[in-house]
Amino acid sequence: MRTYTIDSKDKIGEEIELKGWVQSRRDHGGLIFIDLRDHTGITQLVVQPENEDSFSIAEHIRDEYVISVEGEVVARSEELKNPNIPTGEIEVRVSKLTLLNRSEPLPIQIDGNDTSEENRLKYRFLYLRRPKMQSMLTKRAAYYKFIRDFMEQNEFTEITTPVLANSSPEGARDFLVPSRFHPGKFYALPQAPQQFKQLLMVGGVNRYYQIATCFRDEDPRSDRLYGDFYQLDLEMSFVDDGEEVRQTTEPLIKMLAKDFAGKKLLFEDIPRINYQEAMDRYGSDKPDLRFGMELIDLTEELSETEFGVFANSIKNGGVVKAICVKDGANLSRSQIDKYTDVAKSEGAGGLAYITYEDGQPKSTIAKFLSETELTIIQSKLDAKDGDIVFFGADTRLVANKVLGRLRNEFADLKDLKDPNVIALAWIVDFPFYEWDDKANKVDFGHNPFSMPKGGAESLESAKTDEGLLEIKADQYDLVMNGYEVCSGAVRNYNPEIMYKAFDLLGYNKDYVNQKFGAMINAFKYGAPPHAGCAFGLDRIFMVLIGEENIREVVAFPKNGSGVDVMMNSPSGVDTQQLAELNIKVEDSTK
RNA sequence: GGGCUCGUGGUGUAGAUGGCCUAACAUGCCUCCCUGUCACGGAGGAGAUCGCCGGUUCGAAUCCGGUCGGGCCCGCCA
């Protein structure tokens, strides 16, 4: 007999039972209306004074009380219909009203003013009552089902891997779990099931997947959760080319964008962009391709320039690059100052620009540039009246970074990011090694498990640091509207190449054996070639439903300091517990 | 670890050039009235020493220093 509000439209004349929360009560003295909310929506209840028992209860009901009602679904007459809610054509004439539970006045509003994120987290159980959050939770369940269906259809086998695992030497900080059996030793919660899934390949599993909880103890961002988050982790055996992984998985992501989220794909055929090209054209390895505004290299054209800032940069082996912001000439002085600060925060010395008005370039730097140079700048950037061109003159790395960041800022300013469009791109050919500025040496670019392109030969033929930096990894990221949503690689399954890759950085066999013993050991016994990737499920879901804060797509997230302000974790523990674990802390109350 | 920014009744905001602030508005809350509202309406009422500590001043929500907490970003992280 129990019904949900949305269904009740079709039940005119029927006796139904509804249970839910009181969204609001409108007491007209001799007639009381109650908006009842459940997980499906709102229904108006009418309580009449003739029904004395129910009426006296209704008189004392307050917002967010939990009630149960029985009554008849009646059609509202024309002038009483409410077009603003789905159930506005009916109401329920209450025959029996039961109070199930009371509620104190709420610290946050369900249907009204938004509140600080602190309160949204502290009173998460109330925030979740909001229709937006209810919808988020059910959509998320449908999202998981969609993904599982796809994976099963593509003959992937779901296998769970341990949560109590080993500390991994590369990557993020681990969460450690002390061992009671082995004093002084620790498990670590996995940052990803990376090693386990590779061992599954050695174990003869053909295609593995898992919706895996991953743990990382790193500072969060608005697109990065603290602590635990979810990945669609997968791996395929007998695959030695990343293209096979990309082609197997991209139908899923396209279907999620189109069929699940109802968005438009900017490219039906997902482009492959190599890493260096992405950096040069967009100043980012995760470019948002919903808009153009590409970085234009003017180094060659300005090689003879008299303008000191540009000339210096070029002389020192750097570049001069620029972006053109359409209709940006009307930027105010203070806006430009703001963007100059942004540029400086990315390492730029300043931010030169030229505006175009009445067919003329206008700029404080124009007098340093020759007529020819001004002409070629305007034509290469395709700058028209009303546009503004910003310059980055620095090392290639810094100029790309600065202009890449500005490209994003200006796209926000000019509203160029269409929320109904999904732009996907695979970024490929990441460098196998990268220059580590701090350590002043070459180090692994990403994880050391990737296969260098060209295998052992490419490692052996590289004689210098420069040579090493030329080596590409068969590694790939999927980028979605400027967010990195997937990362994968063809794995290095050959112990000799693994040792060699570490050897070139000065790590000996013992080091590798110690850090990756289980994997290296397993690889000795007939490891098949394999490749895979992992999709960041929270982040993809966030983009698909149009959220910009990843905490809004998770039921119980932690705050920016890694604290669960609702449950009050992390928290101190009994000295008894600590003693069992052989742990001493200086002051557990701190 | 660093930069920026915010902190005012339960909630959301205003007040920021120091005095008119005995802190305003909306919403929520309490009491009463009201038989067609749906952001119901009407009358009345309670509720904040302006995050905390210190300083400047005749006088501080407002200025200064510190501190605590939140958010965004960099570092970090895939």
Side-chain angles (χ1 to χ4, degrees):
Chain A
M1 179 171 178
R2 186 181 165 199
T3 321
Y4 299 127
T5 56
I6 296 297
D7 299 332
S8 49
K9 185 161 34 180
D10 309 319
K11 300 183 185 297
I12 290 170
E14 287 182 34
E15 282 288 323
I16 66 164
E17 180 181 19
L18 293 173
K19 295 170 196 271
W21 287 263
V22 173
Q23 167 108 355
S24 75
R25 186 186 70 113
R26 292 178 293 280
D27 186 345
H28 288 249
L31 185 68
I32 295 171
F33 297 99
I34 292 168
D35 286 345
L36 184 75
R37 185 189 68 246
D38 68 10
H39 65 285
T40 62
I42 303 284
T43 302
Q44 174 165 280
L45 312 176
V46 191
V47 188
Q48 290 162 306
E50 296 76 39
N51 184 347
E52 284 178 28
D53 291 347
S54 297
F55 194 80
S56 68
I57 295 171
E59 281 187 300
H60 295 102
I61 271 180
R62 294 294 178 263
D63 285 359
E64 298 305 317
Y65 276 28
V66 187
I67 60 170
S68 161
V69 294
E70 290 171 27
E72 186 192 348
V73 179
V74 296
R76 299 199 202 177
S77 63
E78 206 52 47
E79 69 278 13
L80 298 180
K81 285 180 180 171
N82 181 357
N84 300 319
I85 61 172
T87 59
E89 294 186 9
I90 57 105
E91 63 193 10
V92 174
R93 198 159 292 163
V94 173
S95 55
K96 184 177 177 206
L97 172 67
T98 311
L99 175 61
L100 300 177
N101 213 343
R102 297 169 199 278
S103 170
E104 292 183 13
L106 263 41
I108 68 171
Q109 290 173 260
I110 306 299
D111 176 35
N113 287 331
D114 215 335
T115 185
S116 66
E117 178 153 54
E118 205 171 354
N119 277 336
R120 294 208 297 269
L121 294 175
K122 186 170 179 186
Y123 299 102
R124 200 64 169 180
F125 47 90
L126 296 178
Y127 188 61
L128 290 175
R129 286 186 195 166
R130 290 191 171 198
K132 182 189 116 176
M133 295 305 280
Q134 288 289 311
S135 148
M136 183 278 288
L137 291 173
T138 53
K139 271 187 207 157
R140 183 141 179 159
Y143 172 69
Y144 282 145
K145 176 167 168 29
F146 197 104
I147 290 167
R148 284 210 164 88
D149 287 349
F150 178 91
M151 298 308 284
E152 297 294 336
Q153 278 160 23
N154 284 274
E155 296 177 1
F156 283 84
T157 306
E158 182 171 12
I159 302 172
T160 56
T161 53
V163 169
L164 288 178
N166 263 346
S167 174
S168 40
E170 297 290 323
R173 294 185 185 90
D174 287 314
F175 286 96
L176 297 177
V177 181
S179 160
R180 176 175 59 86
F181 281 136
H182 306 282
K185 294 194 173 171
F186 296 83
Y187 302 96
L189 307 182
Q191 300 176 21
Q194 181 70 31
Q195 299 197 51
F196 287 111
K197 74 173 171 180
Q198 294 196 237
L199 292 169
L200 284 172
M201 298 297 100
V202 182
V205 173
N206 186 47
R207 289 180 165 192
Y208 140 90
Y209 87 101
Q210 175 180 199
I211 292 181
T213 321
C214 304
F215 303 87
R216 288 178 194 156
D217 183 11
E218 293 295 343
D219 287 15
R221 291 284 186 276
S222 54
D223 66 346
R224 203 167 76 196
L225 289 160
Y226 176 78
D228 47 283
F229 63 100
Y230 287 86
Q231 285 190 345
L232 169 62
D233 191 46
L234 63 95
E235 198 75 9
M236 301 160 68
S237 68
F238 297 102
V239 172
D240 59 5
D241 182 353
E243 194 53 35
E244 194 171 338
V245 177
R246 296 193 285 274
Q247 285 179 14
T248 304
T249 56
E250 63 185 29
L252 170 63
I253 200 82
K254 286 162 72 173
M255 282 159 63
L256 282 170
K258 287 195 292 189
D259 304 333
F260 174 76
K263 306 271 186 183
K264 225 181 92 186
L265 280 180
L266 187 60
F267 317 110
E268 195 57 43
D269 292 322
I270 302 179
R272 274 70 171 158
I273 304 173
N274 77 52
Y275 171 82
Q276 195 54 53
E277 184 185 347
M279 295 306 294
D280 286 337
R281 287 171 64 191
Y282 305 104
S284 170
D285 62 355
K286 44 181 174 134
D288 192 335
L289 299 179
R290 284 175 296 176
F291 55 96
M293 213 192 299
E294 293 191 17
L295 280 53
I296 306 293
D297 195 328
L298 299 166
T299 312
E300 208 168 300
E301 287 76 5
L302 297 175
S303 58
E304 303 295 321
T305 186
E306 306 271 301
F307 181 40
V309 175
F310 291 178
N312 270 334
S313 159
I314 295 170
K315 193 181 74 195
N316 295 328
V319 298
V320 177
K321 299 182 77 168
I323 54 170
C324 177
V325 182
K326 293 285 158 199
D327 300 316
N330 54 2
L331 282 176
S332 70
R333 182 70 223 192
S334 67
Q335 280 175 304
I336 290 176
D337 285 347
K338 199 188 90 189
Y339 291 113
T340 304
D341 287 343
V342 170
K344 284 179 178 167
S345 76
E346 297 290 345
L351 187 60
Y353 59 92
I354 298 178
T355 56
Y356 294 88
E357 287 167 53
D358 308 321
Q360 287 297 316
K362 291 199 170 61
S363 167
T364 49
I365 68 164
K367 57 176 176 286
F368 302 115
L369 295 164
S370 72
E371 201 64 34
T372 323
E373 287 167 346
L374 286 169
T375 308
I376 202 158
I377 289 169
Q378 184 166 5
S379 82
K380 276 208 81 169
L381 282 129
D382 194 27
K384 305 272 192 287
D385 267 6
D387 296 348
I388 183 166
V389 168
F390 289 92
F391 296 88
D394 216 306
T395 61
R396 179 170 299 273
L397 206 68
V398 171
N400 283 345
K401 210 170 132 195
V402 168
L403 292 178
R405 170 79 188 272
L406 290 175
R407 177 177 174 271
N408 243 317
E409 298 278 338
F410 291 128
D412 283 329
L413 180 76
K414 292 294 173 188
D415 209 12
L416 301 180
K417 299 179 176 175
D418 186 337
N420 297 313
V421 169
I422 299 284
L424 294 164
W426 290 102
I427 309 298
V428 299
D429 290 345
F430 280 78
F432 188 71
Y433 294 115
E434 271 176 0
W435 185 255
D436 183 341
D437 249 344
K438 272 182 232 152
N440 201 36
K441 69 179 191 73
V442 176
D443 203 350
F444 285 107
H446 288 66
N447 70 51
F449 307 117
S450 308
M451 184 67 97
K453 280 202 161 176
E457 282 173 35
S458 68
L459 292 181
E460 273 152 21
S461 59
K463 303 292 180 211
T464 59
D465 279 358
E466 286 68 32
L468 289 179
L469 294 172
E470 288 295 308
I471 300 171
K472 305 285 181 258
D474 200 338
Q475 204 232 311
Y476 36 87
D477 282 3
L478 182 68
V479 174
M480 179 187 238
N481 289 3
Y483 292 96
E484 181 205 313
V485 296
C486 172
S487 191
V490 174
R491 318 297 176 186
N492 185 346
Y493 64 99
N494 181 325
E496 292 314 312
I497 302 179
M498 187 82 98
Y499 287 131
K500 181 75 187 168
F502 278 89
D503 179 54
L504 289 170
L505 300 185
Y507 300 106
N508 61 23
K509 274 194 176 185
D510 288 345
Y511 176 86
V512 182
N513 288 341
Q514 187 199 331
K515 296 296 184 187
F516 309 101
M519 247 181 23
I520 285 278
N521 189 42
F523 286 175
K524 291 175 188 161
Y525 301 101
H530 57 282
C533 62
F535 291 85
L537 292 182
D538 309 281
R539 192 177 289 167
I540 292 171
F541 187 66
M542 173 182 88
V543 176
L544 291 180
I545 70 169
E547 271 294 339
E548 292 191 346
N549 180 345
I550 200 161
R551 275 163 259 135
E552 291 293 294
V553 305
V554 175
F556 299 111
K558 296 188 176 42
N559 77 2
S561 316
V563 173
D564 182 334
V565 289
M566 177 179 67
M567 299 300 283
N568 222 344
S569 68
S571 56
V573 295
D574 291 346
T575 48
Q576 168 89 33
Q577 276 183 296
L578 290 174
E580 274 192 338
L581 294 167
N582 261 281
I583 289 180
K584 279 188 188 135
V585 289
E586 293 193 352
D587 185 350
S588 59
T589 62
K590 276 181 188 168

